[in-house]
Amino acid sequence: MTNKNSRREFLKSSTKFIGGLAVLGGTGSLNEIFANATKSTATNFEIRKIGDMKVSAVGLGCVDFAPIGYYGCQNQKSDIIKLVRRAFDNGITLFDTAEIYGMTTSEEWLGEAIAPFKNQVKVETKFGFEVAENRPGVLNSKPTHIKKAVEGSLKRLKTDHIDMLFQHRVDKNTPIEEVADVVNSLIKEGKVLRWGLCEASANTIRKAHAISPISAIESEYAIWWREPETKIFPTLEELGIDFVAYSPLARGYLTGVFNANSKFALPDRRAVLPRFSPEAMKHNAPLLELVQKWAKAKDVTPAQFCLVWALSQRPYIIAIPGTTKVPHLDELCGAKGIRMSQEEIAKFDKEYAKIDILGHRANEAIEAQIDK
């Protein structure tokens, strides 16, 4: 399967998107929008917003915070605590977790790690799977289940409120209006301050937003997966909703550490993702070469370029790469003030449009849980 058609669709509509950005930013051009953004210092990132919540433009994804993480790495709680505190020292003020990450372990470890500075950072967490029932593959967004999940998250995060609560996946067995209504009641109680959806369609976003205003949508977004640009960005811009991009490094592929000879085995989830098959990684090498070329031109590493690219696309995007290694974290924090100009974005897109990408981003089980 290729993504050439979707890339062409994006390029045709880019003028409309840039015009929308000018309206959102209250300025006449994309360059002016980024020029008006808060600039990074030696220690701090550019500040962006999720609703009315100010956070660093790059947050830290906490999906791997568990004894055995999502990508198969083995972790010690003490090392994760050091990592989180290092992230804070590097200027990161947003941490993204979920009750399903590590089957509640991520929330527990994160809550302990941020304790010394919890009033200086923001935490996102998510509900939507039967974690307490030990059935993590089963979606459940019934009102009583949401309330139970939120109480558990509050306890594990050692807080009396959740800064940003996401429905992890849309539950087709529970109308989104019911979900929005119960979250709205939690907001009124002060247990939740803001909310949003993950991997939701434009139609679902509109329905939910009409009941209880949404602050952000979180979805996968990276150089090799740009579907949100055509599927939901116009809706977000119309409604004034921000965007949180997970897996901006293409699950590590675009960092250049993997090739067609790389092998993946469970519990590393890449073992079952089509784009990490030897055939796909060999076929997609031209994309990696493009990223490496542009990284060199911008004097950054490929991993850093992935973040630079994402943050340069829209002023309302927050990127949340994940890592459990301090050297990788430091690398991700190493290109805080670098952005692409409008002209560079156009040039990159012209080169990108010539590349076919093989393989879907998700396996069938994951794909079935994504709202279309």
Side-chain angles (χ1 to χ4, degrees), residues 16-49:
K16 182 171 67 174
F17 282 141
I18 292 173
L21 284 174
V23 173
L24 285 171
T27 67
S29 73
L30 186 62
N31 287 335
E32 289 175 324
I33 290 173
F34 288 116
N36 291 334
T38 304
K39 301 299 182 182
S40 63
T41 66
T43 57
N44 294 318
F45 283 95
E46 171 192 339
I47 299 302
R48 294 191 175 185
K49 288 186 176 182

Side-chain angles (χ1 to χ4, degrees), residues 52-292:
D52 62 349
M53 180 173 73
K54 295 181 179 180
V55 296
S56 54
V58 172
L60 181 62
C62 305
V63 66
D64 258 353
F65 288 11
I68 299 180
Y70 186 89
Y71 295 110
C73 56
Q74 298 184 24
N75 305 303
Q76 298 294 324
K77 181 172 74 170
S78 59
D79 292 333
I80 294 300
I81 290 174
K82 290 177 183 177
L83 179 89
V84 169
R85 294 177 181 176
R86 176 71 166 232
F88 177 69
D89 289 340
N90 275 331
I92 289 178
T93 61
L94 177 67
F95 296 88
D96 182 273
T97 185
E99 63 167 352
I100 198 173
Y101 295 166
M103 296 296 283
T104 74
T105 303
S106 177
E107 288 183 327
E108 293 167 2
W109 289 4
L110 180 61
E112 184 172 341
I114 65 172
F117 45 80
K118 69 177 182 179
N119 293 328
Q120 300 176 65
V121 299
K122 305 298 183 183
V123 174
E124 302 175 336
T125 194
K126 311 175 190 75
F127 68 86
F129 292 96
E130 293 195 348
V131 176
E133 297 82 358
N134 200 32
R135 295 191 296 178
V138 178
L139 293 172
N140 189 339
S141 283
K142 291 182 172 61
T144 54
H145 195 267
I146 295 173
K147 292 179 180 179
K148 181 180 178 181
V150 166
E151 291 300 328
S153 292
L154 289 170
K155 182 178 180 180
R156 290 185 290 272
L157 291 168
K158 304 179 189 302
T159 183
D160 62 358
H161 69 271
I162 294 170
D163 298 303
M164 182 71 202
L165 179 70
F166 286 103
Q167 182 189 36
H168 209 152
R169 289 292 183 271
V170 174
D171 178 7
K172 297 176 182 178
N173 293 319
T174 305
I176 196 62
E177 292 87 351
E178 290 185 18
V179 174
D181 190 57
V182 71
V183 173
N184 196 47
S185 70
L186 292 168
I187 291 173
K188 290 179 178 178
E189 292 178 36
K191 295 180 179 180
V192 173
L193 302 188
R194 303 158 198 87
W195 88 293
L197 308 174
C198 295
E199 296 287 1
S201 67
N203 185 49
T204 299
I205 293 168
R206 289 182 182 280
K207 289 180 180 180
H209 188 71
I211 302 298
S212 182
I214 288 173
S215 293
I217 296 299
E218 181 175 320
S219 291
E220 182 173 353
Y221 182 59
I223 292 170
W224 78 349
W225 181 254
R226 300 178 62 170
E227 187 175 274
E229 292 171 346
T230 53
K231 289 292 184 70
I232 64 171
F233 279 10
T235 299
L236 302 188
E237 290 165 12
E238 176 190 339
L239 300 178
I241 297 172
D242 298 309
F243 184 78
V244 178
Y246 76 82
S247 294
L249 309 185
R251 304 179 193 275
Y253 177 73
L254 293 180
T255 66
V257 299
F258 305 122
N259 57 44
N261 296 318
S262 300
K263 304 296 182 182
F264 301 93
L266 293 173
D268 187 327
R269 301 300 177 85
R270 285 171 294 207
V272 295
L273 298 181
R275 286 196 181 176
F276 285 90
S277 68
E279 178 188 10
M281 287 195 289
K282 180 179 180 180
H283 180 94
N284 296 334
L287 178 62
L288 180 57
E289 292 167 2
L290 178 64
V291 169
Q292 292 170 336

